[in-house]
């Protein structure tokens, strides 16, 4: 199955629910007699309700609906108008930082239960599939069995892992991993950090210490701080994201469990409200079910007319 087909399958629950309601709006708004008129108020209200139900978020929904209202007189299709506005929101967000440094240091952060450790393993596999050689750093030394879980994923991906005993200093593990990556010529270091809440000051301080160690050992590190968010949590995940962004320097999102929700519009809310790019999306449990995020593919999958 190709990447687009996987994304389409992962968005199926969202798209099916979305399309059932959206088709009626398209038929009404795109009727020949409506093409040169202002879009009907009832249509705008129905579109607003539909977008909010898909978890696009109030702010992004208001912006999309207002843009549709202003542009509808031009005779453009309602489908194309909404697609264009969603794409515009994604494209206004900065993309991935420039690559080229070696090793590239990626911190994976988030609260427990979002699929963070699983994401590290899948991300290692994704990077390896691109012809690069990653190394995993098991810096989550707080949670029982976290290192063993990560070892399983490292074995599945066929990549090196640097680990220490439970309760070890996470920053020291990161130091060892960076030294090992340079000695072995690895391209990327994926650091699995402990799941933490913004209210846990000690854990946030530990994350800051990890960042300082990485910066000292590798110029510009960490180059990526990816926050893992659970798509099934919806708008509540945005609260977590704002807190992490303020203290951890997050510059990208990994949106997991997209296949487990009918509210996959949360991706639009993330881009609009947080001004952060979505780098990867999780669409299943298999090791190759973490996909690089493509705004164009996302919109096309969401607006597939036949399911």
């Amino acid at each position: 199955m190709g990447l687009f087909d996987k994304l389409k399958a992962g968005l199926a629950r969202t798209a099916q629910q979305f399309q059932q309601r959206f088709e009626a709006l398209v038929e009404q708004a795109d009727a020949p007699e409506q093409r040169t008129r202002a879009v009907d108020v009832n249509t705008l209200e129905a579109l607003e309700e539909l977008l909010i139900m898909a978890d696009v978020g109030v702010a992004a929904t208001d912006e999309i609906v207002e843009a549709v209202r202003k542009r509808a007189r031009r005779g453009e299709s309602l489908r194309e108008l909404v697609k264009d506005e969603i794409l515009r929101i994604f494209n206004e967000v900065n993309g991935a930082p420039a690559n080229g440094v070696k090793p590239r240091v990626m911190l994976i952060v988030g609260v427990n239960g979002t699929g963070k450790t699983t994401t590290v393993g899948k991300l290692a596999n994704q990077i390896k599939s691109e012809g690069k050689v990653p190394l995993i750093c098991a810096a989550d030394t707080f949670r029982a069995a976290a290192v063993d879980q990560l070892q399983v994923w490292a074995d599945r991906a066929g990549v090196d892992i640097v680990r220490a005993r439970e309760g070890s200093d996470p920053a020291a593990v990161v130091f060892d991993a960076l030294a090992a990556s340079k000695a072995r010529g690895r391209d990327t270091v994926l650091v699995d950090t402990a799941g933490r809440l913004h209210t846990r000051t000690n854990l946030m301080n530990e994350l800051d210490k990890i960042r300082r160690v990485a910066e000292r050992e590798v110029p510009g590190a960490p180059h990526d701080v990816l926050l893992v968010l659970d798509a099934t949590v919806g708008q509540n995940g945005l609260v977590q994201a704002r807190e992490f962004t303020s203290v951890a320097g997050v510059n990208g999102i990994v949106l997991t469990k997209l296949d487990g929700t009918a509210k996959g519009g949360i991706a639009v809310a993330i881009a609009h409200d947080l001004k952060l790019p979505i780098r990867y999306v999780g669409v299943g449990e298999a090791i190759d079910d973490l996909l690089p995020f493509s705004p164009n593919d996302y919109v096309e999958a969401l607006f597939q007319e036949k399911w």
Side-chain angles (χ1 to χ4, degrees), residues 117-174:
T117 298
T118 299
T119 294
V120 173
K122 293 180 179 180
L123 189 53
N125 183 73
Q126 171 65 34
I127 292 171
K128 187 178 177 183
S129 73
E130 297 170 357
K132 300 174 184 176
V133 187
L135 179 145
I136 291 175
C137 171
D140 181 356
T141 61
F142 292 101
R143 186 166 58 90
V147 176
D148 291 338
Q149 180 187 3
L150 194 59
Q151 180 72 62
V152 171
W153 280 100
D155 292 342
R156 289 179 185 173
V159 302
D160 294 346
I161 182 172
V162 172
R163 53 182 294 175
R165 292 191 305 274
E166 185 178 328
S168 298
D169 179 7
V173 184
V174 172

